[in-house]
Amino acid sequence: MSIGMSEEHADLAESLRGWAAGLAGADVARAAEHEPDEAFSATWKAVVEMGVAAIGLPESLGGSDGTTLDVAVALEACAHHLVPGPLLGTAAAALLAPEAVGATVAAGGSIGLATRPGGPVWDAAGASSVVLPDPDGTWWLVPSAVLDLRPVVGLDLTRRAAPGVDLPLADLPDAVALPGLDAARVHRVVVTLAAAEAAGVARWCLDTAVAYAKVREQFGRPIGAFQAVKHLCAQMLETAEAVTAAAWDVAVASAAGEEQWAFAADVAAITCMEGAVENARTAIQVLGGIGFTFEHDAHLYYRRAQALRSLVGSPDDAAVRLADRAADGVRRQLVVDLEGRDAEVRPAVREQVAAIAALPEPERRAALADAGLLAPHWPAPYGRDADAVAQLVIDEELAAAGVERPDLVIAGWALPTIIEHGTDAQRERFVAPSLRGELVWCQLFSEPGSGSDLASLRTRAERVEGGWALTGQKVWTSLADRADWGICLARTDPDAPAHQGITYFLVDLRSPGIEVRPLREMTGEALFNEVFLDAVFVPDELVVARPGDGWRLARTTLANERVAMGSARLATSTERAVEIAAADDLGAVARAAVGRSVALSTVCSLIGLRSTLRSLAGHRPGAESSVAKLLGVRNRQDGAELVVALAGDRLALLGADAPDVWEMLNTRCLSIAGGTTQILRNIAGERLLGLPRG
């Protein structure tokens, strides 16, 4: 997937990827390994003819009048196939000083760039001019002819840089001052375009590793069938999605004002560069010995990723800046432009929400349920069959009116199954009362010996007159101590294959034969329970669908899936870490850790936003929705541990009742509940990446 979300950007990315593949950039880079000057002139001519370098220039200067996001989409596509040459420096100069460099770029010239006084000059070979800063902060455009630039073959074999210039720039012939430029703006532009290239690198590494894992055999099986390799590839997918989201956002933020752009640039500097390096490393690991050869392209991408990270500066420095910005109250403001599609929906929703907001607090839930606003994506009469636009409008209006939608908890899983597969009598009996909060549900799925492996469950249901007798043990059941009803899976045909012979029951928790025993967790509390069923009678009318349909029903989701707008607020523990950073005099290492937490929390929101935008465009959720839980769990767990770490030796005085300690202990369950992280990575590897089953 391209960093661009629109059809136009998808088409641009696809077109440029096809064109870039034909340039055989990796082969060109190898062939020019010992040529520091003019190594990529033929490739650069193709880049100019394609118009890539001039995308960001105004039409009046011979460009395409493209946005920063347009340029980023193009650079991502070119980096995916490792197009060599001075594209990054030239594209950055075109955005920074279009009037000064436009004629040169439009005519096919390239521009070198240094990001600090005396620093290396990027893309120096064959450059017509160079953008340079002097020590007093003035930026200049200097003709290469008056500089003694000596390009070298460095780590990145697809680019050429020259040692820094240590001259009084104002005295050089034909040097032109570039008013309006400062180090901060140059840094933001460079990070934005380098992030786009990092996204292309990260995605190529993922694609290459997965393709190899599908065909390379060891011990008579494709290596992608081995869980260790599958997990490496799934982690690469998580990283690629994070890099893609951050690279997209920093390009979008370039039009959102300096404060927002600076915040997004620091998120990208942390996420994108390190993510590209990490995926390149992992790709080499999956490729094994072949990945370590000079003939394979993997090392060229690894070199490019390392060089990009050096270009934008230390991720730790970016993390410190990000922590300071967050402590000053800055957050990435996530905005969805509905482009007028909300006009028909909003007035009626606003009127209904206003009426509900006027009610006393205890009466609001019933009113929300009756209006179909609790789960608007559900079918009428329980919801509104709301599409993505209507769902966002409802969320916005509820938030504006200060009306909080209650969490349906387990009912949010039980009711969709009843709505889609249950009888009219079941729907009438359970759906509306549950929405109004009159019935509380629990989920009787997990067992001591099965966990996520529901196919191995042992709770049995035996035929009796008028129904079934359920016997077995369930565990990790939240709310069982106060639930009215439970959704329960039990085996009705012990001779059927593992995924068959399972039936979906609705169990009255007040039935004889049920014993609920609280399980005390590491927090000291008892959220979970063991539930013992001893010949518990369930009448036939409380079987959902047909006996044997349980496995299929357990995986039910309504076709019209929930769409939600991400919040500018960071994860709870990250906000707490920022609060500590704002109040305490933390050292640079601790502040960098806070900044990294802010970056990850922001990326999680961005991934949610991209999923929402896909829904608005009428597409099914992509990989970003599938990796959201994996990244979200890491975000919450790492953030909670960071907060505790910031307490230092004061932690010795804090018990489990301290909020920060409780959060740290409680979030340990997140990588277990609802499917362990390892199981989810297996699923991602098989269903999203197409790796073979083990």
Side-chain angles (χ1 to χ4, degrees), residues 41 48 52 73 79 83 107 173 181 187 202 211 283 334 341 348 428 449 503 591 596 603 609 625 674:
S41 56
V48 172
V52 179
V73 169
V83 172
L181 280 195
H187 178 75
L334 307 182
R341 288 177 286 175
E428 183 176 355
T503 299
R591 286 161 62 213
R596 289 179 181 276
V603 166
L609 175 58
S625 63

Side-chain angles (χ1 to χ4, degrees), residues 485-510:
W485 288 86
I487 50 176
C488 181
L489 292 181
R491 190 168 294 283
T492 49
D493 185 354
D495 298 323
H499 290 84
Q500 300 175 26
I502 296 172
T503 299
Y504 196 106
F505 295 94
L506 306 178
V507 178
D508 186 341
L509 268 290
R510 295 160 296 189

Side-chain angles (χ1 to χ4, degrees), residues 417-418 421-423 426 487 503-506 540-547 549-550 553:
T417 304
I418 295 172
H421 300 288
T423 64
Q426 289 170 349
I487 50 176
T503 299
Y504 196 106
F505 295 94
L506 306 178
D540 283 326
E541 61 263 27
L542 294 181
V543 172
V544 182
R546 299 182 305 274
D549 281 346
L553 268 59

Side-chain angles (χ1 to χ4, degrees), residues 86 88-94 96-97 100-102 104-105 109-134 138-151 160-167 169-170 172-178 181 186:
L88 180 60
T90 304
L96 289 166
V101 306
T104 298
V105 174
S110 66
I111 309 295
L113 175 69
T115 59
R116 61 181 176 83
V121 178
W122 286 72
D123 293 334
S128 302
S129 303
V130 179
V131 175
L132 299 166
D134 64 20
T138 304
W139 288 78
W140 300 84
L141 181 66
V142 182
S144 297
V146 303
L147 299 170
D148 185 22
L149 295 180
R150 300 181 181 180
R160 299 292 183 260
V165 175
D166 187 17
L167 296 169
L169 302 180
L172 294 177
D174 300 319
V176 178
L178 301 173
L181 280 195
V186 172

Side-chain angles (χ1 to χ4, degrees), residues 88 92 113-116 120 122 159 183-184 186-198 250 264-277 304-319 321:
L88 180 60
L113 175 69
T115 59
R116 61 181 176 83
W122 286 72
R159 289 212 165 97
V186 172
H187 178 75
R188 288 194 296 272
V189 168
V190 168
V191 168
T192 300
L193 300 188
E197 288 203 353
V250 69
D266 284 335
V267 171
I270 298 164
T271 306
C272 299
M273 312 313 151
E274 298 211 313
V277 170
R304 170 74 72 96
Q306 291 281 9
L308 287 172
R309 183 165 64 174
S310 73
L311 170 64
V312 304
S314 166
D316 285 337
D317 291 345
R321 290 194 302 270

